[in-house]
Amino acid sequence: MGLLPIGAFAKASRLSPKALRLYDELGLLPPARVDPVNGYRSYAPEQLERARLVAWLRRLGMPLARIQYVCALEAGLAAQEVRAYWAQVEADTAARRDLASFLVGHLSGKDPTMSDDATPLTIRYAALSDTGLVRERNQDTVHAGPRLLAVADGYGSEGAPASAAAVDALKHLETETGGAPAGGLLNLLADAVDRAERAVHGLAGPGTSSDEAGTTLTAMLWTGSHLALVHIGDSRVHLLRDGELFQITHDHTLVQSMVDEGRLTPEEAVSHPQRSLLVRALGRGADATPDMRLHDVERGDRYLLCSDGLSCVVPAKKIRGVLRESAGPEQAVRALVALANDRGGPDNVSCVVADVLEVQG
């Protein structure tokens, strides 16, 4: 079979002539021959397989740059890349689904976070931060108040002021969130994160290295009926409910993204040399997009916010045991910090523990 004109090739490949011209310009699918007089494009029959692959990948919504990368791989590696791409699409869709559910309830006048239990609730809390046994200084910042619970883990030479600046930028929420509707609460949190990002950026002058001032930021805001979560980085929030421990944040690290995409197992991630490399943080040049959502609470819940100086050192089973056995938040934070230091204390360790209680009349 000889060369196919662009019309015939378009029909066989399920790509339009317009798309074929674009892919030629991008170098993604150049024709086998271009007539030097009239510019007509002709394609070889053996190019159909690549063209059909491009068409299917476009149906998946894959960006053209990534399609070009996939097409250059051998079949096995290309399959892994498609699997990784789709895993990320599903994760993004799940996050948008949660937001859509909230917006449907909010716009229809129903607060989706309100509990059926009308009993007034409150929180009791405690916070503790420790340098650990290896680091020379503590770059973590913690805060626990009647409405705001926060942990920030700074990095770089200006990590300590960065984490402090990020938490300070949220402290006004202690007095500005009373009675705020759910939608307004998320807007307040978004504005506070913007303020925190500007505060961290303001620590570094022109010409300062981008890695000299940065921080994670994980915080929860209590309004008397629900908790709002904002999360950037690899500090974590755990929930102890009915004796079971749940991690309710998702690490923004390179290694976690590799786990999400199926390139690493969770077991391999624990000892990976780049396990602390952040893909989101507050700092110059970093992606500061936060995860934000409203969280249902129940009487008897116990929440733990912690830096990775705890979660990367102490197994979840041990953390669960301490949270189950500690009588109150004060005992829990002391026991968790001591546990991290008993295991070598290789990093700063910070914890905030909060219990959801019935208001005593």
Side-chain angles (χ1 to χ4, degrees):
M1 183 186 296
L3 296 180
L4 299 173
I6 191 170
F9 189 78
K11 184 176 181 179
S13 65
R14 299 189 180 95
L15 290 169
S16 69
K18 180 179 180 180
L20 288 171
R21 286 190 287 269
L22 172 63
Y23 300 160
D24 177 18
E25 293 171 5
L26 296 175
L28 177 60
L29 192 60
R33 181 178 182 274
V34 178
D35 191 291
V37 177
N38 55 32
Y40 287 166
R41 295 169 171 85
S42 300
Y43 294 82
E46 54 266 27
Q47 290 184 280
L48 278 172
E49 183 176 354
R50 181 183 178 112
R52 287 167 179 160
L53 175 60
V54 171
W56 285 116
L57 293 176
R58 286 300 289 159
R59 284 196 178 192
L60 285 181
M62 185 178 286
L64 289 173
R66 192 159 184 175
I67 290 176
Q68 192 163 20
Y69 173 69
V70 170
C71 288
L73 298 174
E74 63 91 15
L77 293 176
Q80 291 180 22
E81 189 65 24
V82 172
R83 186 184 300 115
Y85 169 75
W86 192 247
Q88 186 60 53
V89 169
E90 289 185 323
D92 292 343
T93 300
R96 292 196 297 270
R97 186 186 302 120
D98 290 344
L99 179 57
S101 297
F102 160 70
L103 290 173
V104 168
H106 175 61
L107 294 173
S108 55
K110 179 183 177 182
D111 186 346
T113 67
M114 293 297 290
S115 170
D116 293 333
D117 185 354
T119 304
L121 300 174
T122 188
I123 57 172
R124 186 175 65 184
Y125 47 85
L128 184 62
S129 184
D130 189 82
T131 304
L133 304 180
V134 174
R135 300 294 176 89
E136 293 183 357
R137 55 179 179 156
N138 193 349
Q139 295 188 305
D140 290 357
T141 299
V142 296
H143 174 85
R147 288 183 176 152
L148 179 66
L149 313 169
V151 171
D153 181 355
Y155 62 84
S157 62
E158 297 298 315
S163 67
V167 172
D168 285 345
L170 267 62
K171 287 183 179 178
H172 70 284
L173 297 173
E174 288 278 18
T175 58
E176 293 182 14
T177 57
L185 183 62
L186 291 180
N187 289 333
L188 283 172
L189 272 174
D191 290 344
V193 171
D194 288 343
R195 185 181 301 186
E197 184 179 14
R198 291 194 300 271
V200 173
H201 288 185
L203 294 173
T208 302
S209 174
S210 61
D211 65 354
E212 291 188 4
T215 185
T216 70
L217 179 62
T218 299
M220 300 192 84
L221 195 59
W222 172 252
T223 65
S225 59
H226 49 260
L227 280 163
L229 168 70
V230 59
H231 169 65
I232 307 168
D234 64 350
S235 296
R236 292 181 178 178
V237 179
H238 292 273
L239 164 64
L240 183 75
R241 177 176 287 176
D242 298 326
E244 296 301 321
L245 189 66
F246 307 93
Q247 182 180 330
I248 61 174
T249 52
H250 195 69
D251 292 349
H252 299 146
T253 61
L254 176 64
V255 165
Q256 183 60 55
S257 68
M258 294 170 72
V259 172
D260 295 340
E261 294 171 355
R263 301 183 186 187
L264 282 179
T265 65
E267 293 74 22
E268 291 171 333
V270 172
S271 57
H272 196 281
Q274 293 180 308
R275 61 187 177 275
S276 297
L277 185 60
L278 297 170
V279 296
R280 290 196 225 171
L282 295 178
R284 286 191 175 180
D287 179 359
T289 305
D291 291 342
M292 294 176 56
R293 69 174 184 271
L294 293 156
H295 193 76
D296 288 315
V297 298
E298 294 182 7
R299 203 170 19 173
D301 283 350
R302 172 167 281 181
Y303 288 87
L304 165 67
L305 290 73
C306 65
S307 64
D308 66 343
L310 178 71
S311 57
C312 286
V313 175
V314 180
K317 184 177 180 180
K318 295 284 188 181
I319 294 174
R320 172 175 171 264
V322 169
L323 292 175
R324 290 182 65 179
E325 295 164 10
S326 298
E330 297 83 0
Q331 295 92 332
V333 294
R334 287 199 296 268
L336 289 168
V337 169
L339 196 55
N341 285 333
D342 286 345
R343 298 177 71 89
D347 197 359
N348 308 146
V349 55
S350 298
C351 305
V352 176
V353 171
D355 292 345
V356 179
L357 309 169
E358 183 176 334
V359 174
Q360 299 298 316

